Amino acid sequence: AQSVAQPEDQVNVAEGNPLTVKCTYSVSGNPYLFWYVQYPNRGLQFLLKYITGDNLVKGSYGFEAEFNKSQTSFHLKKPSALVSDSALYFCAVRDGSNYQLIWGAGTKLIIKP
Amino acid sequence: EADIYQTPRYLVIGTGKKITLECSQTMGHDKMYWYQQDPGMELHLIHYSYGVNSTEKGDLSSESTVSRIRTEHFPLTLESARPSHTSQYLCASSALAGNSYEQYFGPGTRLTVT
């Protein structure tokens, strides 16, 4: 069965430091992987996706994610965190057989000045 | 956020009332979804539609119903609201784009049932 795990409920990072938000997945076929961000009282905003090709994917707001097939991971990264990056981040995966996304539980990212 | 709209943004209503949460998108997407999300928590799919006159229940059991008479419109109705329905409701849509189906979300409706 398809699944997504975000092992950290919360990640705390000092402003200016690099950040990583972890995501691992399990699908039966080729994975389609996504990251979304949710600011308070808002809907989700699409950040980036991996479909095929380069393992390092670049997205909005300076974020990037690294696809690792052997570790079945798709970690979200940013070289230098901003206080405004503080939000809830969701990882999602779709296999090739349907249109729905399987969602992780979300990771709260807190960037401290 | 993309061109997907939800109204109302906030709603406080008494137990037993019938309510309809509106969702519209102007992107011509054929697939639409309703999620329920408690604050800061994970998303639960409650309904989805892959086209006009096609609706299905999602993974989370819900007492709500949906309809899809027009491509752009996917309203969600609660016949009799209860305090347990208090939550945030997110509408999303998707279509094939570059071999992927990323979903685009509306701003959400925060529902409080007293």
Side-chain angles (χ1 to χ4, degrees), chain A residues 1-7 22-27 32-35 90-94 101-106, chain B residues 42:
Chain A
Q2 292 81 256
S3 66
V4 175
Q6 293 182 243
K22 296 179 180 177
C23 173
T24 59
Y25 67 90
S26 174
V27 298
Y32 296 73
L33 294 154
F34 305 85
W35 274 103
F90 288 95
C91 180
V93 65
R94 182 179 84 86
L101 295 180
I102 307 300
W103 295 89
Chain B
E42 60 193 299

Side-chain angles (χ1 to χ4, degrees), chain A:
Chain A
Q2 292 81 256
S3 66
V4 175
Q6 293 182 243
E8 302 153 318
D9 291 336
Q10 183 170 308
V11 171
N12 297 295
V13 178
E15 186 177 27
N17 283 1
L19 69 88
T20 299
V21 183
K22 296 179 180 177
C23 173
T24 59
Y25 67 90
S26 174
V27 298
S28 54
N30 292 323
Y32 296 73
L33 294 154
F34 305 85
W35 274 103
Y36 285 78
V37 60
Q38 185 179 34
Y39 298 102
N41 298 316
R42 302 285 297 276
L44 278 69
Q45 295 180 31
F46 170 74
L47 274 179
L48 51 78
K49 66 183 178 184
Y50 172 83
I51 305 300
T52 187
D54 289 340
N55 290 341
L56 187 63
V57 179
K58 293 188 183 298
S60 305
Y61 311 121
F63 283 94
E64 56 189 26
E66 186 172 12
F67 170 67
N68 187 316
K69 187 173 183 179
S70 62
Q71 297 184 6
T72 61
S73 66
F74 189 55
H75 300 334
L76 182 70
K77 300 181 180 184
K78 188 173 183 180
S80 179
L82 300 172
V83 172
S84 57
D85 293 330
S86 298
L88 190 57
Y89 290 81
F90 288 95
C91 180
V93 65
R94 182 179 84 86
D95 67 19
S97 63
N98 64 62
Y99 307 114
Q100 297 174 28
L101 295 180
I102 307 300
W103 295 89
T107 298
K108 185 175 184 180
L109 177 63
I110 297 176
I111 309 299
K112 298 184 177 179

Side-chain angles (χ1 to χ4, degrees), chain B residues 6-106:
Chain B
Q6 290 186 245
T7 57
R9 290 292 312 274
Y10 302 91
L11 179 62
V12 180
I13 200 164
T15 298
K17 299 292 186 183
K18 177 180 179 179
I19 58 171
T20 296
L21 307 184
E22 300 288 347
C23 176
S24 295
Q25 50 97 3
T26 59
M27 298 171 284
H29 287 174
D30 53 346
K31 297 163 182 56
M32 296 189 73
Y33 313 82
W34 275 104
Y35 292 91
Q36 185 174 340
Q37 182 193 28
D38 291 331
M41 303 297 285
E42 60 193 299
L43 281 73
H44 296 285
L45 181 67
I46 51 176
H47 296 283
Y48 61 97
S49 167
Y50 289 165
V52 172
N53 294 325
S54 161
T55 61
E56 300 286 345
K57 289 186 180 293
D59 301 326
L60 181 67
S61 175
S62 173
E63 295 164 339
S64 57
T65 60
V66 293
S67 63
R68 188 88 183 276
I69 299 173
R70 304 196 316 265
T71 297
E72 64 272 21
H73 194 213
F74 190 41
L76 180 145
T77 298
L78 275 167
E79 291 292 334
S80 179
R82 294 212 301 257
S84 61
H85 296 139
T86 295
S87 188
Q88 175 162 250
Y89 293 84
L90 296 171
C91 181
S93 70
S94 69
L96 181 61
N99 200 32
S100 74
Y101 280 93
E102 60 260 36
Q103 295 180 10
Y104 294 92
F105 284 79

